[in-house]
Amino acid sequence: MRGGRTSLAREGATLPLIAVILALIAVWYVGAVALNAPQAREQLAEGAGFRDLAAATWSMTRPVLPAPHQIAVELARSLFTHPITSPRSLVYHAWVTVSAALAGLGFALALGLLLAIGIVHVRLLDRSLMPWVIASQTVPVLAIAPMVVVVLGNLGITGLLPKAAIAGYLAFFPITVGMVKGLRAPDPLQLDLMRTYDARAMQVFSLLRFPASLGFLFPSLRIAVTLALVGAIVAELPTGAQAGLGARLLAGSYYGQTVQIWAALFMAAAMSMLGLAAVSLIETLAARRRGGRL
Amino acid sequence: MKAAPFLWTALGLVGATLARFAVADAAPGGMFGATLGATLALAAIAVLALFLAMVGFARGEGWFARLATPALFGFLLLWLWEMLVIGFAVPFVLLPPPSAIARAFGAHLALLTQDFAQTYLHAVIAGYALGCGAGFLVALAIDRSPFLKRGFLPMGNMISAMPIVGIAPIMVMWFGFEWPSKAAVVVVMTFFPMLVNTTAGLAEAGAIERDLMQSYAARYGATLLKLRLPAALPHIFTALKLNSTLALIGAVVAEFFGTPILGMGFRISTEAAKMNLDLVWATITVAALAGSLSFGALALLERAVTFWHPSFRGSS
């Protein structure tokens, strides 16, 4: 998987990627005409040409499928025309969601790391806990989101914490599984060498196991970043939160504001990209410190 | 295997059962007047015995020991949950005890079955089949063009990393409240992992094997069918397993945005709002069972189909 990706990237993926994206946008415009046409025909006068129809489908206030430029205009409007602290600004909503996702990610990182260390060092935990960690990945954990939010709300805990709890709960599994794999990555020869040096468990961990695990930490961190964001967004749905990208999605679907939904969706995608880029940056920095590779 | 872990297990299970009855009596309204001290003593014996049993089983090898340890651990967690909730009289609206969840499961079996049929048998299976099938076919279609592959692959990787569940409200608007809108979300969610993994899998066959096929003057189709698709199977199964979880998540979350009065996502969100947490937990149990059983079935199928793969060879 990894080898495949890098070799493809090396051959220059920019041009094909641009071509695919342009084709996608073209398909999108055609799709906007097709999907919005019934609604647009009602507004147009009899005998209007195709040119009028296309123009009408690309500039409706509540289209079935908004045209890409409408989404771009809405994004620009909600990003730049209001001060970023105003609830009408998309930056404000994005920050509400991202802060919950980040808090959850921090919680997941700490817990996942701790659990992985325990599982690698204690055989009982490995045998009893690890199967449940793996099994819990096959369970649709997002389904519990509404309940967690409602229950914590009953306890008087609202706002960031319930969302962070769900984001953390989702993000914690890939980190745990990845770190267990990573901490076990050193081969027996290296472990034997540490034993001949009479290294203590702590030294084996800090000098061998932990450095070896970094190559596994970053891929699982990439998955965790996306999951934390998804968790934070979904956690905003059940209570009808006032702020956040999930709240924008919900409000948009209640009032039929499709352009607003798509803008929130693109914002969420941008946040996910930003998170992935941040992980890649940290990975590069860590690799550079270690002389080029993890 | 030694007998000691089995004895500890038996003692632990008996102690746990007695402690469960004792704590119900010690809680307000108990009839036999079991004391707090007796309850604590029984609970301590149960925990200690179960712990020793787990330690014993964890030392052993073989499938039984590997199964017994997590099973006991799971039992211990459920039992602790039950004991703490009853012992501290935790309000029902916060956390119902497992026994209440089991009762709700039995009492609302018909309702839960209907929800399961609506969400899983309709939305998940239809969306999963369509999404995985389309991803697979598109991967085959772009396989012959390196240009398209280089364009689609980064795109697929990018989109797989996005919070796709967010399209749920749009799909509900397009396809209505019934299950097709949920299936549509599932299609989009499962399409890209399948595309990316199948493409990666098709690149898996080694150069020597390809050269051999070429020396046989095998056509593209024959090479694909006899060499490259079998070699791609492990990657395809990775996507199938990943997608089985994603599909369930997509369908459940899509129901939060609007649904007829049926479905697991609908049940969870409305019953949570009505504080019927035992029914919520029962629905979550159904979802967990459906998720892990489909994952397990796929894992077994994978084992049967790709028995030649190094990750299965050598393990019994």
Side-chain angles (χ1 to χ4, degrees):
Chain A
M1 174 90 200
R2 209 170 190 200
R5 203 196 297 174
T6 47
S7 75
L8 284 169
R10 206 181 303 126
E11 288 164 41
T14 332
L15 193 67
L17 186 58
I18 291 173
V20 166
I21 289 177
L22 285 180
L24 210 65
I25 292 178
V27 169
W28 192 322
Y29 271 110
V30 175
V33 172
L35 281 168
N36 298 337
Q39 215 179 326
R41 276 210 190 89
E42 289 172 11
Q43 298 169 4
L44 281 178
E46 277 299 321
F50 180 76
R51 197 182 287 262
D52 297 323
L53 183 69
T57 51
W58 291 343
S59 59
M60 303 174 80
T61 44
R62 288 182 181 186
V64 180
L65 177 64
H69 69 265
Q70 285 182 292
I71 300 168
V73 168
E74 164 75 16
L75 263 176
R77 197 182 57 76
S78 51
L79 281 179
F80 301 122
T81 51
H82 306 287
I84 56 168
T85 48
S86 133
R88 301 176 74 176
S89 164
L90 204 53
V91 180
Y92 166 77
H93 291 285
W95 170 245
V96 168
T97 303
V98 166
S99 58
L102 279 181
L105 199 62
F107 163 75
L109 201 58
L111 194 66
L113 215 61
L114 218 64
L115 219 56
I117 293 171
I119 286 174
V120 167
H121 287 96
V122 183
R123 189 183 168 89
L124 179 62
L125 282 181
D126 176 30
R127 281 295 179 82
S128 59
L129 199 57
M130 196 58 190
W132 289 105
V133 172
I134 292 173
S136 62
Q137 278 193 301
T138 69
V139 169
V141 275
L142 264 184
I144 65 154
M147 193 188 50
V148 172
V149 173
V150 169
V151 164
L152 288 180
N154 285 346
L155 289 172
I157 303 170
T158 52
L160 183 111
L161 206 64
K163 289 194 271 174
I166 291 162
Y169 186 61
L170 273 177
F172 135 86
F173 296 109
I175 292 180
T176 312
V177 173
M179 281 307 281
V180 167
K181 227 181 220 168
L183 291 175
R184 287 207 175 120
D187 63 81
L189 263 179
Q190 296 165 321
L191 285 170
D192 283 349
L193 182 67
M194 292 304 270
R195 195 171 306 157
T196 60
Y197 290 156
D198 193 22
R200 273 171 284 133
M202 193 60 219
Q203 287 168 318
V204 176
F205 177 79
S206 63
L207 293 175
L208 178 58
R209 282 190 191 275
F210 186 72
S213 74
L214 284 185
F216 290 80
L217 174 65
F218 287 106
S220 38
L221 208 53
R222 282 204 187 88
I223 302 173
V225 164
T226 316
L227 283 180
L229 199 61
V230 170
I233 290 174
V234 172
E236 285 163 354
L237 301 179
T239 51
Q242 298 300 308
L245 292 175
R248 291 285 276 200
L249 287 178
L250 202 62
S253 85
Y254 278 161
Y255 303 117
Q257 299 286 354
T258 34
V259 186
Q260 183 190 324
I261 298 181
W262 281 98
L265 210 55
F266 270 75
M267 196 64 191
M271 290 298 115
S272 165
M273 289 292 176
L274 212 63
L276 292 183
V279 172
S280 292
L281 183 71
I282 300 172
E283 189 178 13
T284 316
L285 289 180
R288 196 170 290 165
R289 272 180 66 110
R290 302 253 304 266
R293 90 194 169 82
L294 285 175
Chain B
M1 198 181 296
K2 292 195 188 97
F6 290 99
L7 290 176
W8 286 125
T9 307
L11 179 64
L13 290 182
V14 169
T17 315
L18 289 177
R20 166 66 183 79
F21 285 121
V23 78
D25 277 344
M31 30 205 321
F32 300 108
T35 58
L36 193 63
T39 310
L40 284 179
L42 278 171
I45 290 173
V47 169
L48 189 70
L50 285 175
F51 179 75
L52 287 175
M54 268 160 52
V55 171
F57 281 128
R59 281 209 197 97
E61 289 298 334
W63 64 271
F64 184 82
R66 283 185 175 277
L67 215 62
T69 323
L72 281 179
F73 185 74
F75 171 81
L76 189 63
L77 281 189
L78 275 183
W79 176 79
L80 274 179
W81 173 359
E82 173 97 14
M83 292 291 285
L84 290 176
V85 166
I86 294 178
F88 288 101
V90 175
F92 196 77
V93 294
L94 287 189
L95 193 62
S99 55
I101 297 166
R103 268 200 300 278
F105 194 94
H108 300 283
L109 203 56
L111 191 68
L112 292 172
T113 316
Q114 282 174 358
D115 288 343
F116 176 76
Q118 169 80 13
T119 304
Y120 195 86
L121 298 183
H122 285 129
V124 170
I125 290 192
Y128 182 78
L130 274 177
C132 290
F136 181 74
L137 290 180
V138 171
L140 282 188
I142 65 171
D143 175 57
R144 295 190 85 160
S145 154
F147 183 80
L148 282 183
K149 246 197 301 195
R150 285 210 296 274
F152 265 103
L153 217 55
M155 188 85 190
N157 273 321
M158 240 155 40
I159 297 185
S160 317
M162 282 177 186
I164 300 183
V165 273
I167 65 159
I170 295 161
M171 292 298 151
V172 171
M173 275 182 193
W174 286 6
F175 297 104
F177 283 151
E178 261 294 345
W179 62 266
S181 61
K182 284 76 196 173
V185 176
V186 176
V187 168
V188 180
M189 281 183 88
T190 52
F191 175 79
F192 289 101
M194 195 64 186
L195 174 67
V196 170
N197 275 297
T198 308
T199 309
L202 286 175
E204 190 76 358
I208 298 179
E209 288 91 344
R210 277 181 217 212
D211 283 352
L212 183 66
M213 291 305 272
Q214 198 153 17
S215 69
Y216 289 156
R219 295 226 184 94
Y220 171 80
T223 315
L224 188 69
L225 212 62
K226 298 198 166 137
L227 171 63
R228 296 176 62 216
L229 273 184
L233 274 179
H235 286 266
I236 295 174
F237 269 104
T238 306
L240 282 177
K241 287 193 287 186
L242 178 72
N243 279 345
S244 74
T245 316
L246 281 181
L248 204 49
I249 289 180
V252 167
V253 172
E255 287 180 357
F256 295 163
F257 281 99
T259 160
I261 51 162
L262 266 183
M264 282 147 77
F266 167 80
R267 194 68 55 209
I268 289 172
S269 54
T270 50
E271 297 300 325
K274 286 197 271 178
M275 303 292 162
N276 289 335
L277 283 192
D278 50 349
L279 190 49
V280 175
W281 277 101
T283 310
I284 289 171
T285 313
V286 175
L289 280 177
S292 42
L293 285 182
S294 28
F295 192 94
L298 282 170
L300 283 182
L301 186 68
E302 179 184 20
R303 210 169 243 267
V305 177
T306 64
F307 55 89
W308 44 268
H309 194 260
S311 59
F312 294 121
R313 279 196 317 235
S315 71
S316 54

